[in-house]
Amino acid sequence: MQALGVTLLIIGVIISVRERKFMIMWRSKPSSNNQLAIALSQLVGTAGGIYLSLELLFSFLKIPEDWWNNSSFFVEPLAVFSLILAILQPFGFKVWLRLKKIGR
């Protein structure tokens, strides 16, 4: 079951990086920088920002962090959740742009 989850996460990362690379290509002028590296660093940066925000929120609300310690996960569920949100972010942005265009 965990192997399926890891496989789905890897596929999600690949698809999200591909979408981010496509968005970078259309948003900016051509540059000599590697667009794949930029897209991957954006994905990791977004996931890291979401993770830190959730950690601070849990800390502020005094939510105990040990509620998932006895689980069968081999990674921290909060980190996986932030990675999933970062993977979905470019697709949500695309939907938002389409809805904004329709609303005009």
Side-chain angles (χ1 to χ4, degrees):
M1 187 66 178
Q2 288 180 353
L4 177 65
V6 171
T7 304
L8 289 175
L9 269 178
I10 290 172
I11 291 170
V13 166
I14 291 169
I15 293 170
S16 180
V17 166
R18 184 178 167 266
E19 183 65 29
R20 287 173 187 270
K21 196 170 118 178
F22 182 73
M23 288 171 55
I24 290 169
M25 183 177 67
W26 288 106
R27 266 195 316 213
S28 61
K29 61 184 178 184
S31 65
S32 62
N33 294 339
N34 188 357
Q35 291 177 351
L36 177 64
I38 293 170
L40 193 58
S41 66
Q42 282 182 356
L43 176 70
V44 171
T46 303
I50 293 170
Y51 177 78
L52 287 176
S53 298
L54 290 174
E55 278 286 333
L56 288 173
L57 180 68
F58 280 11
S59 170
F60 178 74
L61 296 176
K62 304 262 191 261
I63 297 173
E65 295 180 13
D66 59 345
W67 60 275
W68 60 65
N69 280 348
N70 296 331
S71 67
S72 63
F73 295 113
F74 63 95
V75 294
E76 190 175 341
L78 193 59
V80 173
F81 181 68
S82 61
L83 183 60
I84 289 170
L85 286 178
I87 288 170
L88 295 176
Q89 185 265 337
F91 304 107
F93 184 70
K94 185 184 272 189
V95 168
W96 180 72
L97 286 177
R98 287 189 181 164
L99 289 175
K100 189 176 169 184
K101 187 183 280 188
I102 292 171
R104 287 187 190 179

